[in-house]
Amino acid sequence: MNTKRNTLLFSLVLVLILVGLVAVGQAQEPEPRREPQANMGTAFIYQGQLIRNDESANGAFEFRFALYDDVELGSQVGITVTRVISVTDGLFVASLDFGSEVFTGDARYLEIGVRPQGSAGDYSTLSPRQALTPAPYALYAPQAGYAPQAGYAPQAGYASQAGAVDWDGITNVPPDIADGDDVGSGGIQSVAAGDGLMGGGTGTGVTLTVAFSGTGSLDTVARSNHHHDDDYASLAHTHDGHDVTSAVPAATQAPWSGITGIPAGFADGVDDVGLTSVTWDDVLSRPAGLDDGDDDTTYTPGVGLTLADDEFGVDFDAVASLTHTHSFTSPDALKYFEEEFRIPTNGARDWEFFTIGSDSYLAVANYYNDSTHNVDSKIYHWNGASFTEFQSISTVGAVEWEFFTIGSDSYLAVASHHNDSTCNVDSKIYRWNGASFVEFQAIATNCAFDWEFFTIGSDSYLAVANAYNGSTQNIDSKIYRWNGASFIETQSIPTNGAYYWEFFTIGSDSYLVVANRQNDSTYNVPSKIYRWNGASFAEFQSISTSGAYYWEFFTIGSDSYLAVANHYNDSTYNIDSKIYRWNGTSFAEFQSIPTNGAHSWEFFTIGSDSYLAVANHYNGSPYNIDSKIYRWNGTNFIEAQSIPTNGAADWEFFTIGSDSYLAVANYRNDSTRNINSKIYKATLQSRAGTTYLWGQNGSDVYYSDGNVGIGTTGPRSALQVAGYVQLDTLTAAPPPADCDDPAELGRMKFDPTSEVLYICAASGWVSK
């Protein structure tokens, strides 16, 4: 997804008209055949009118043209074309050539920037981008194999009317067949007979035949896998040399005396090797454990087994029997999340939870409201029961908040991405003044996506992920150091469409990993890990990623992990995101998890359980797709819960008191970005203080206390289902033996053919 640039033209107003090539056809007589012309090329004409200060512009202007795959965001496709064009009475014409590779059948949008010739200022960019009409899209046709060479195909419409054509009426006949025969200077003049063949010669009537030899009367040739009258010859054999016609001497039987290489035991013609018994002492190479003639091997029972004499059994004090129960009253029991709050947002990209004193807050980064990036982001305050709006902050294309403290001061940094005109805008840092956040420092950034705060020793740092500067995605991201009064630049690191920074430590070493989303040609670019060398960060490890949007570092026990959110691989959003594990010297791939345009990961723990939540943003068609929560099972992560989301961009886990929450930033549904983001609360599978027992008896599972709800958290009956209940079906009345016990009363079967419902009553089966 490239940076969105809806452009403010300052004193220039640009009105553009796309002019394509239109072919107009009408019925006419067939035209004489014409020689093929050269390929029409891939350029097309763009004509427009330039208005300056409400008057038609005149003079030379610099124009910049670029193609994108989205009207607002998206990625640049192909090259950037610049032209110096003379404008007269406001009118101009430009010939544009992006090459044929950019027109693949997908939608293309043209972005135009303009400035006076020789100006050192930025280009003023048209908003919105212009959708290309089908005329230049005809450039896609030459890619259809040899279609461009079918220069005379339209004339073929008259072929069916041509009837028979006389030979003398055909023009441009090749010289070799112009005389009416197929004997020419390039034809075959003679034929020679090779091995096993005879005949040949020169002229037009040449014959080759097989050169038979030996005796026999048939005039056919043997196959390569032939045999000889089922005698001792192998069914598949060869004849020496290339003479396939020589006769093979007949052989019907071979005398014993004529067989060579007979084993010695059979040479006398008697099979006298059979033995009926062998003594123990005659057995060679006896196993050591059996050499003394007994099987006195000793056995000991393992965990969960017992041994009485020579009989093993199960130790039921250590192993559960078929009939046993499980209690789920532990505070570490598996938890699930249910919707608790909804908060209206505008293209939400990020949630940031933080506390100041005893107060809890949530800040949302609002990116776009369907018409402008200049939309307020909000801070919400926990009032003891819910979140209420606390402060509104003017932001421009906000994509991320970062809360941090230095000393006793609290700060919020926002990553500003776009202001409707350019993505080279300031990102801001706000400081808490005791009652609200006020602007503290502005830092120049380039399509910033993320801030990451960290400390090394007594020093505090902020790293910004710069993604694009208006012409390239291969730009430096920056690290700033706190000098006691403000943040100053301390290091530049080359990045490729950087989307996210993650700081972490392993042992005494400090690391920064960047999510490189794309360079100027592909999303399949490596992301990099940098290690602190005491003075700066140096590259430590490169990891292959595909449109990486996010890194999440976490630990489970003594193991350290990094999870990357892979968003796009140049062809699909439905790709695996990866988890890497530290092996002592570097990170190695540990687990792949299928995701859909993944935007972020969030690691969290509840009790002794560890979880990972992925924000699935887009699967190539709808934005209304499920995001997933995965639980650590001791070996790897397994899916635990699926939650419907709308273009999810971020998960934020937090706790207030004893309650655990997950907030999702819903960026957009399939029609608008002005939608609700949601907060989910973790709930136990059982009510506090109550023990619910699941049991198993053979293959039967039972629940011994309370009500069971499916699709509802408040069942009022032993079993309450919010949805459909599907019964087993049959094609005839159920047998009486299935309804002859009081324990079977109430069971049901359904016959869809006769549309009859059978219910087991005291009198037997009753049909309805």
Side-chain angles (χ1 to χ4, degrees):
M1 180 171 64
N2 269 347
T3 303
K4 172 165 50 182
R5 299 196 299 280
N6 290 338
T7 308
L8 179 61
L9 295 179
F10 303 104
S11 60
L12 298 178
V13 177
L14 189 60
V15 180
L16 296 173
I17 304 170
L18 186 62
V19 179
L21 300 178
V22 181
V24 180
Q26 62 183 4
Q28 58 183 9
E29 292 302 316
E31 295 182 1
R33 172 173 170 162
R34 294 173 296 180
E35 292 301 317
Q37 302 299 307
N39 193 302
M40 66 179 287
T42 58
F44 60 92
I45 301 301
Y46 206 92
Q47 179 179 341
Q49 181 181 19
L50 183 64
I51 306 299
R52 186 179 189 184
N53 297 328
D54 296 327
E55 295 182 358
S56 297
N58 286 280
F61 291 83
E62 297 177 12
F63 287 81
R64 182 184 65 195
F65 302 90
L67 288 180
Y68 285 80
D69 58 10
D70 186 82
V71 68
E72 295 176 358
L73 305 176
S75 301
Q76 183 174 344
V77 182
I79 62 175
T80 299
V81 177
T82 58
R83 296 280 188 273
V84 176
I85 301 174
S86 177
V87 180
T88 303
D89 292 333
L91 300 178
F92 68 91
V93 177
S95 176
L96 304 180
D97 191 349
F98 295 97
S100 61
E101 294 81 2
V102 301
F103 297 104
T104 61
D106 296 323
R108 293 291 181 260
Y109 300 89
L110 185 65
E111 181 180 274
I112 308 102
V114 63
R115 67 185 179 189
Q117 183 182 20
S119 172
D122 291 337
Y123 284 93
S124 296
T125 308
L126 175 68
S127 174
R129 296 171 184 158
Q130 306 293 300
L132 287 187
T133 61
Y137 239 107
L139 298 177
Y140 181 53
Q143 302 178 22
Y146 300 100
Q149 302 177 17
Y152 308 105
Q155 303 296 331
Y158 304 98
S160 61
Q161 305 172 19
V165 179
D166 187 81
W167 179 265
D168 294 335
I170 302 176
T171 61
N172 298 325
V173 178
D176 285 347
I177 63 172
D179 58 358
D181 63 53
D182 57 355
V183 178
S185 61
I188 299 174
Q189 304 300 317
S190 64
V191 178
D195 294 340
L197 299 175
M198 61 182 182
T202 61
T204 60
V206 177
T207 301
L208 294 175
T209 60
V210 175
F212 292 102
S213 64
T215 61
S217 60
L218 298 179
D219 57 359
T220 56
V221 180
R223 296 179 183 274
S224 61
N225 62 343
H226 66 281
H227 62 86
H228 299 273
D229 297 330
D230 295 326
D231 289 331
Y232 72 90
S234 171
L235 288 180
H237 63 282
T238 61
H239 297 277
D240 293 337
H242 57 260
D243 182 4
V244 299
T245 63
S246 300
V248 178
T252 58
Q253 60 182 0
W256 183 262
S257 59
I259 302 176
T260 61
I262 300 174
F266 292 98
D268 59 0
V270 179
D271 181 11
D272 54 2
V273 184
L275 296 177
T276 58
S277 64
V278 178
T279 64
W280 181 257
D281 292 336
D282 290 332
V283 178
L284 302 177
S285 302
R286 295 189 299 266
L290 301 177
D291 193 53
D292 59 358
D294 64 50
D295 58 350
D296 53 0
T297 303
T298 60
Y299 301 91
T300 57
V303 176
L305 297 176
T306 61
L307 177 62
D309 296 328
D310 60 352
E311 182 176 307
F312 283 94
V314 175
D315 181 4
F316 286 105
D317 290 334
V319 179
S321 64
L322 289 178
T323 303
H324 62 282
T325 61
H326 296 277
S327 176
F328 293 103
T329 56
S330 167
D332 295 339
L334 180 62
K335 300 190 176 187
Y336 291 98
F337 288 89
E338 295 180 348
E339 183 181 329
E340 188 77 2
F341 305 111
R342 297 186 178 189
I343 297 179
T345 51
N346 309 110
R349 297 294 292 267
D350 177 67
W351 282 110
E352 179 78 344
F353 176 81
F354 58 93
T355 60
I356 299 177
S358 60
D359 290 319
S360 298
Y361 299 87
L362 262 182
V364 65
N366 285 323
Y367 178 73
Y368 189 65
N369 68 357
D370 288 344
S371 61
T372 180
H373 295 86
N374 303 317
V375 56
D376 288 355
S377 293
K378 303 293 181 72
I379 301 174
Y380 298 87
H381 175 251
W382 178 254
N383 64 9
S386 63
F387 284 97
T388 58
E389 186 174 331
F390 170 76
Q391 184 177 356
S392 184
I393 297 179
S394 297
T395 51
V396 289
V399 291
E400 201 258 356
W401 284 108
E402 178 78 345
F403 176 81
F404 58 94
T405 59
I406 299 177
S408 59
D409 290 323
S410 297
Y411 299 86
L412 267 179
V414 64
S416 299
H417 188 72
H418 204 276
N419 69 354
D420 288 344
S421 175
T422 178
C423 62
N424 300 317
V425 295
D426 289 349
S427 293
K428 304 289 184 69
I429 302 172
Y430 299 86
R431 184 168 60 186
W432 179 254
N433 65 5
S436 63
F437 284 94
V438 295
E439 186 175 331
F440 169 74
Q441 184 178 356
I443 297 179
T445 52
N446 309 107
C447 279
F449 268 119
D450 176 61
W451 283 109
E452 178 79 350
F453 175 81
F454 57 94
T455 60
I456 299 177
S458 59
D459 290 323
S460 298
Y461 298 86
L462 269 178
V464 67
N466 286 324
Y468 185 67
N469 66 1
S471 60
T472 181
Q473 317 212 32
N474 305 319
I475 60 173
D476 289 352
S477 292
K478 304 292 182 71
I479 300 175
Y480 300 86
R481 183 176 58 83
W482 178 254
N483 67 1
S486 63
F487 284 95
I488 59 173
E489 184 178 332
T490 185
Q491 185 177 357
S492 290
I493 297 179
T495 51
N496 307 111
Y499 206 92
Y500 193 81
W501 285 107
E502 177 81 339
F503 175 82
F504 59 94
T505 60
I506 298 177
S508 59
D509 290 323
S510 298
Y511 300 86
L512 264 180
V513 59
V514 65
N516 282 327
R517 185 183 61 164
Q518 66 184 114
N519 58 26
D520 290 335
S521 60
T522 179
Y523 283 85
N524 298 314
V525 294
S527 293
K528 304 291 182 72
I529 302 174
Y530 300 86
R531 184 169 60 185
W532 179 255
N533 62 13
S536 62
F537 284 95
E539 185 174 333
F540 169 75
Q541 184 178 356
S542 179
I543 298 179
S544 297
T545 51
S546 299
Y549 265 46
Y550 201 91
W551 284 103
E552 179 78 341
F553 176 81
F554 58 94
T555 60
I556 298 177
S558 59
D559 290 323
S560 298
Y561 299 86
L562 270 176
V564 64
N566 284 324
H567 181 74
Y568 184 66
N569 69 355
D570 287 342
S571 61
T572 181
Y573 297 89
N574 305 315
I575 57 177
D576 287 351
S577 291
K578 304 291 183 71
I579 302 174
Y580 300 86
R581 183 169 61 185
W582 178 256
N583 63 12
T585 58
S586 62
F587 284 93
E589 186 174 331
F590 170 73
Q591 184 178 357
S592 292
I593 297 180
T595 51
N596 309 110
H599 248 250
S600 72
W601 286 105
E602 178 76 344
F603 176 82
F604 58 94
T605 60
I606 299 178
S608 61
D609 289 326
S610 298
Y611 300 86
L612 265 179
V614 65
N616 283 327
H617 182 74
Y618 185 59
N619 67 1
S621 178
Y623 286 90
N624 303 322
I625 58 176
D626 288 355
S627 293
K628 304 293 181 73
I629 300 174
Y630 298 87
R631 181 175 59 85
W632 178 256
N633 67 1
T635 304
N636 56 21
F637 284 94
I638 59 174
E639 185 175 330
Q641 186 175 1
S642 183
I643 297 179
T645 51
N646 307 111
D650 178 62
W651 284 108
E652 177 81 347
F653 176 81
F654 58 94
T655 60
I656 298 177
S658 60
D659 293 324
S660 298
Y661 298 89
L662 261 181
V664 64
N666 283 325
Y667 174 67
R668 64 169 299 171
N669 58 25
D670 292 330
S671 59
T672 180
R673 295 169 180 81
N674 302 315
I675 57 176
N676 290 324
S677 291
K678 298 183 179 180
I679 301 174
Y680 299 84
K681 183 178 179 180
T683 58
L684 276 169
Q685 291 298 292
S686 59
R687 292 193 295 272
T690 305
T691 300
Y692 293 102
L693 301 177
W694 286 96
Q696 182 176 354
N697 184 11
S699 61
D700 297 328
V701 177
Y702 61 88
Y703 197 58
S704 63
D705 188 18
N707 298 328
V708 175
I710 300 177
T712 176
T713 59
R716 297 179 178 273
S717 303
L719 175 63
Q720 182 175 336
V721 179
Y724 294 104
V725 176
Q726 187 167 345
L727 301 178
D728 190 18
T729 61
L730 42 76
T731 57
D738 287 351
C739 184
D740 59 0
D741 190 304
E744 298 169 339
L745 296 179
R747 60 168 48 179
M748 294 183 288
K749 290 275 189 176
F750 179 65
D751 181 356
T753 303
S754 60
E755 299 182 353
V756 174
L757 176 67
Y758 293 92
I759 304 173
C760 181
S763 59
W765 288 107
V766 176
S767 61
K768 300 290 185 181

